[in-house]
Structure formats: structure tokens, C-alpha cells
Amino acid sequence: MSDLTVSFVQSATQWHDPAANRATLTAHIAEISVPTDLIVLPEMFSTGFTMAAADWAEPVEGPTLAWMRELAAERDAVVTGSVITHDEGHYYNRLLWVRPDGTYSHYDKRHLFRMAGEHEVYTAGQQRLVEEWRGWRICPLVCYDLRFPVWSRNDQQQPYDLLLYVANWPAARRTAWITLLRARAIENLAYTMGVNCVGLDLNGQPYDGDSALLDMKGEYLVEVGNQETGITRTLRRADLEAYRCRFPALLDADEFELRTSGELVKL
């Protein structure tokens, strides 16, 4: 199995200005000078983390999806990040997984951040996404999902090699971000990536970044501070398989079923 080259962009988000944010990200991505398989952008990267969904939600086939398609085709890479989407009468914090051929999958954020009223505006997703890309299985999640280890669990029904979180994670909870990313990597025996934003939004909320890439032992491969930056690294398949062979802890994981409102939720 081949290695996987991954890139992420940590940037400041211009509040409620999708065109400006797409232009900024285009410039950052242009600075990625090597071929890459995956480009990861933050949560709500086109608008900032806003509850004004009625004003800023895009249709399913909206301009940001079109931009992601162009970028994916140009770079021959999957492009992913979350966008406010209006679909069949509901608003979603929707992660788009856009392939070079223009096809895409999506994941709707499961855990909505009630302390900001997100659960009152957006509809929660009901199914996790695990995508296979160039020989790797990848599970993309969104921000607050990081706090819920059951939803993030690397299980036998939907195993993955790379767990990633796109986020708008405030500086006030920086310790939780750093600690939980490391915990998710260790407990799931998977490479783990967290991609955050930086700067101050118009709600007065500061973001310190701290985007990171960790290996399956919870060791940092990349750790950035609060600067705007784009990072590219290659994940080694042989290292992952060798560690899982030496330390197969997932074979002893507890079995469980996840139910919400009496309904079985598929992982």
C-alpha cells in the first residue's frame, strides 16, 4: 500500500465574506509546491463560525462547491472542509469531500455546539463518513465531534487509517483541543489531523490555530502555532501497519451500539 501526502491550510477567516475567503485560500494553496493527495480546510471556511445560516447558507450545488471542484481537479487531490448548506428545508454544517473528477461525498456535523446555539440553527447529521482514497481509509469529522470518543471510534465495521477534524476551535479551550487530538490518535491507533483557524471573528472570539498532525502513538508530526500557514507531510503506511502489528489494542476494544432517540445510528 502506498504512502499518502496530506496538506492543510490554517488561515484567518474573513467574517461573512465567502469570495474573499476563497481568494485567500486559493493563494495559500498555490504556495503548496509539491504534489499532494489531500487538502484540508477549516470548519465553515467560507464564512466563519456563524449562526446566520439563513443569510449565508449555500445551495447543495453552490459556488463554494464549484470552487472546490476546480481546485481538486487542478491539484489532482481531494479537497475537504465544511460549508453552511441549505438542503431540503434544513441548514447543515456540512463537510464536503470533493474528488478530482468532480464527484463528492458529504458529512453533516453530528455534534452541534449548543453553547453557541448551533443546535438551534442547524440539523445534526446521523451517519459518519469513512472515505477510501488512494488506498487509505479516512474519517473526516467536524470540530465539537472531537469531544465525543464513541463517534470517533475506529471500529471493525468502518475502520480507518486517518482521522481528521476541521474546526473553528476558540483559544479559550486550547488545552482541550491539544489534549483531545492526542487522545483520539492514541486510542484509535490512527494518524490524526486537526485543522483550525486563526484570528479574531466579529463575535470577538479569538482563535489560536494549533493545527496539528499526529501519528498513531500520539506523537506530533506537525505542530503549528497561530500563524497563517500551509503544511504538507507524507504519512507512511509501513509505519502505521508496523505499529498496529506490534500493539494491536483495537482487538480488545469493547463492542457497542450507538442509539439516538431510540434509533440505531450507523457508524
Side-chain angles (χ1 to χ4, degrees):
M1 303 291 285
S2 62
D3 296 336
L4 187 78
T5 300
V6 298
S7 303
F8 67 78
V9 176
Q10 175 175 282
S11 66
T13 306
Q14 299 188 50
W15 190 248
H16 290 177
D17 196 340
N21 287 314
R22 291 192 294 266
T24 296
L25 290 167
T26 297
H28 281 303
I29 292 165
E31 295 175 355
I32 299 172
S33 59
V34 297
T36 188
D37 299 302
L38 174 64
I39 299 171
V40 185
L41 310 175
E43 177 186 25
M44 290 192 186
F45 64 82
S46 65
T47 57
F49 186 65
T50 179
M51 299 304 107
D55 297 325
W56 295 103
E58 297 190 12
V60 173
E61 296 282 334
T64 300
L65 174 59
W67 173 80
M68 295 172 77
R69 279 174 162 155
E70 291 178 7
L71 181 60
E74 177 186 330
R75 298 306 300 249
D76 189 31
V78 161
V79 178
T80 191
S82 88
V83 179
I84 305 171
T85 303
H86 185 237
D87 189 2
E88 296 185 350
H90 296 270
Y91 297 114
Y92 295 96
N93 185 345
R94 176 166 289 179
L95 178 141
L96 300 173
W97 180 269
V98 183
R99 307 176 191 90
D101 65 0
T103 62
Y104 71 98
S105 302
H106 74 264
Y107 162 72
D108 295 326
K109 185 179 181 181
R110 168 71 182 147
H111 298 94
L112 302 176
F113 190 60
R114 69 176 54 251
M115 282 65 81
E118 188 179 15
H119 65 302
E120 298 174 345
V121 177
Y122 298 93
T123 299
Q126 297 296 319
Q127 189 165 336
R128 202 172 69 175
L129 177 69
V130 175
E131 281 288 324
E132 186 165 348
W133 179 239
R134 293 180 176 166
W136 289 66
R137 291 181 62 83
I138 304 167
C139 179
L141 298 174
V142 180
C143 202
Y144 193 41
D145 288 331
L146 177 61
R147 287 185 176 267
F148 301 94
V150 171
W151 191 248
S152 301
R153 173 70 68 82
N154 197 353
D155 62 41
Q156 294 182 359
Q157 284 69 45
Q158 276 194 316
Y160 57 75
D161 307 305
L162 170 62
L163 177 63
L164 66 87
Y165 298 91
V166 304
N168 265 240
W169 196 284
R173 291 179 287 280
R174 178 176 183 264
T175 298
W177 169 257
I178 294 168
T179 303
L180 293 172
L181 279 174
R182 174 165 274 179
R184 298 293 89 83
I186 293 168
E187 70 195 11
N188 292 301
L189 300 182
Y191 288 105
T192 299
M193 181 190 298
V195 180
N196 198 15
C197 60
V198 294
L200 185 71
D201 70 19
L202 287 192
N203 287 323
Q205 189 71 256
Y207 297 88
D208 272 357
D210 293 306
S211 297
L213 176 62
L214 301 98
D215 71 10
M216 49 282 168
K217 297 176 286 185
E219 301 292 340
Y220 282 101
L221 301 176
V222 173
E223 182 181 11
V224 301
N226 62 2
Q227 73 273 22
E228 293 193 66
T229 186
I231 296 291
T232 298
R233 293 291 186 273
T234 296
L235 309 183
R236 305 298 180 188
R237 166 66 69 177
D239 292 348
L240 177 64
E241 298 295 345
Y243 185 73
R244 286 176 169 177
C245 184
R246 292 195 307 271
F247 196 82
L250 291 177
L251 295 179
D252 299 314
D254 300 308
E255 295 183 2
F256 63 90
E257 290 183 345
L258 179 63
R259 294 181 180 272
T260 301
S261 301
E263 298 294 327
L264 183 64
V265 177
K266 291 180 62 180
L267 291 183

